[in-house]
Amino acid sequence: MFAAGGALGVAILLVVVQLVASTQGFQGPLESLFHDYVLTPKSASVPWAGLALAMVGLTNRQRVVALSAAAVIDVVVAAVRYLSGGPLTVGNGATWVLTAVGVYAAVRWTGDQRRSALKGVGLGALLILATKFGDAWLQVTIMAGPMILDEYAQLADHALGSPSWHLGQFVDALGPVGYGILHWVYIELPVAAIAVAVYQLRNGWPSHYLVRTFLLIGLIGPVFYVLFPVVGPIFAFGTEGQGFQVSDYWPNLVPTPDFAPEPMSFDSVTPRNCMPSLHTAWALALFIHSRQGAWWLRLGGTFWLVCTLTATLGFGYHYGVDLVAGAVLCLTIESALRDPERGWGWFRVRLVGGGALVLAGLLLSYRYLAVPMGRFPELSGPLVLGALAAMCLGFYATFFARPDTALARWGSGAKASVTDVLAAPTR
């Protein structure tokens, strides 16, 4: 019943967003999904990532058949499209086979086999639909935020030393090879997440896994784009501003603080998708979930986190304060989902509630206290980073500290019982 209600809710949401997109003249989620089936997929990797998730619910033989069929279909469709003058890309086969597995499981299979297969297909489909919704939502942020708040974010970022400017210069110094590696890591974050998720799901369905956090970050995070519209340094202060930028400061000239910030109008094509940095939230979630894997998975999670943080700042897509907000968002959501068998004790309530308060405090400070933050970076910078550090410490103590240590006991919220106190020997 719950699954059916959720599916109905997703369908209604997609239809509503599609209607808005059709009336406003941009591609909606259902139109984009139609392209995945019969035209040119918007992404070559996302349909295959969704199919990979669906494989979790199948046997090895069924996986071989499904993946082989998807590969053959992709090759044939890609060849026909290319010979007809279209782009050389893939993704149609994965979408077709994902749909076919879902229909076949619903009609022909029963019992645990049916439930497991449909769970995998549903998860894969939800990943694909979430990306479609996200693409459309970026257009909604433009409609909802004609005025942007980059001057406030940049002034608040002065408290952190304007890291985007310094990382931008660093990325320029890396040359085309370094830029290419960072760009590939940045855009293929979903593929890395699927690699971690497949590792977690290789033996069945655990109580918690990365995809749940990924999807919830993608559901909650974009709401803040509308509340705090920001386009990023390369657009507001760099060469990509299309004439709307304050000036071409980024990345070579760190601007002096402007203590009279104000909302500024911007173009109708650049998404307001900076605050908070969801790439940071997703990369941190990937890093956290890779910690309990094999050495190569832990190394990969660390590599992806470092490269993603470098890219988000070094490409001029985000301010440092965006990254702090994104990290707090990730830790808050992960705190709500991790170790569900432990229930909702004080240990979880204080983390989730505290994280929500910290995130709200950061965003309100960036908007309404940007001037004092810029005037007193020696105070405001440590406060911002200290709030993130406190969240990290609480999260680590609650979920990762070594058992039977003082840090672990504090993290679990454990207290000595009255019986323990009375039974303790006197000294």
Side-chain angles (χ1 to χ4, degrees), residues 256-269:
T256 57
D258 179 5
F259 295 115
E262 58 184 8
M264 52 186 284
S265 61
F266 212 72
D267 64 29
S268 58
V269 297

Side-chain angles (χ1 to χ4, degrees), residues 20-394:
V20 173
S22 299
T23 58
Q24 296 298 321
F26 61 87
Q27 189 182 66
L30 297 181
E31 183 183 358
S32 180
L33 188 62
F34 175 77
H35 280 238
D36 282 4
Y37 278 106
V38 298
L39 297 174
T40 302
K42 188 164 188 175
S43 170
S45 58
V46 170
W48 277 96
L51 182 61
L53 281 178
M55 295 300 98
V56 175
L58 304 183
T59 64
N60 287 334
R61 181 178 179 278
Q62 292 164 347
R63 291 168 185 166
V64 171
V65 172
L67 293 174
S68 299
V72 170
I73 294 171
D74 248 352
V75 169
V76 173
V77 174
V80 172
R81 181 170 48 238
Y82 182 72
L83 294 175
S84 302
L88 183 61
T89 187
V90 295
N92 303 93
T95 306
W96 291 6
V97 171
L98 178 67
T99 305
V101 170
V103 172
Y104 192 85
V107 174
R108 298 295 300 273
W109 293 340
T110 58
D112 291 340
Q113 182 185 31
R114 181 174 183 268
R115 282 192 295 272
S116 183
L118 289 180
K119 186 174 183 178
V121 169
L123 201 60
L126 191 59
L127 175 68
I128 295 173
L129 293 176
T131 63
K132 304 299 183 187
F133 176 78
D135 291 339
W137 186 259
L138 294 181
Q139 297 297 321
V140 173
T141 66
I142 298 173
M143 297 161 47
M147 305 293 288
I148 62 172
L149 303 176
D150 280 72
E151 289 193 357
Y152 295 89
Q154 189 276 325
L155 184 56
D157 202 48
H158 180 65
L160 302 181
S162 301
S164 179
W165 271 257
H166 301 296
L167 265 294
Q169 296 172 29
F170 172 75
V171 170
D172 283 347
L174 292 178
V177 175
Y179 178 90
I181 293 174
L182 290 175
H183 186 263
W184 178 77
V185 169
Y186 186 82
I187 64 175
E188 295 298 345
L189 180 61
V191 176
I194 293 303
V196 175
V198 169
Y199 180 88
Q200 292 179 317
L201 300 172
R202 68 194 186 281
N203 296 320
W205 300 99
S207 61
H208 179 50
Y209 45 93
L210 176 60
V211 180
R212 301 172 73 233
T213 306
F214 239 68
L215 291 175
L216 198 55
I217 288 173
L219 177 66
I220 296 175
V223 174
F224 296 101
Y225 292 164
V226 176
L227 301 176
F228 204 115
V230 177
V231 296
I234 196 173
F235 299 101
F237 300 95
T239 57
E240 300 298 319
Q242 307 295 330
F244 289 87
Q245 68 267 37
V246 176
S247 184
D248 291 341
Y249 293 142
W250 190 89
N252 297 316
L253 180 62
V254 180
T256 57
D258 179 5
F259 295 115
E262 58 184 8
M264 52 186 284
S265 61
F266 212 72
D267 64 29
S268 58
V269 297
T270 306
R272 282 59 164 158
N273 61 337
C274 285
M275 184 68 73
S277 168
L278 295 195
H279 261 81
T280 297
W282 283 320
L284 180 57
L286 188 152
F287 172 81
I288 291 171
H289 280 261
S290 69
R291 293 307 86 195
Q292 295 171 318
W295 68 267
W296 55 266
L297 195 71
R298 298 195 301 272
L299 181 62
T302 303
F303 171 79
W304 230 272
L305 177 62
V306 172
C307 288
T308 299
L309 297 182
T310 302
T312 54
L313 292 172
F315 292 167
Y317 295 157
H318 288 281
Y319 305 92
V321 289
D322 304 346
L323 272 63
V324 173
V328 172
L329 174 67
C330 168
L331 294 174
T332 303
I333 291 176
E334 182 66 21
S335 296
L337 299 176
R338 180 166 283 270
D339 293 350
E341 59 276 1
R342 293 171 61 180
W344 273 81
W346 172 241
F347 73 95
R348 194 185 306 276
V349 172
R350 68 183 179 187
L351 266 182
V352 176
L357 290 175
V358 169
L359 181 59
L362 289 173
L363 296 182
L364 290 173
S365 298
Y366 299 161
R367 174 61 179 87
Y368 297 105
L369 298 177
V371 172
M373 287 181 70
R375 286 191 185 276
F376 305 102
E378 306 86 357
L379 175 63
S380 54
L383 285 176
V384 170
L385 296 179
L388 175 59
M391 189 69 190
C392 291
L393 177 61

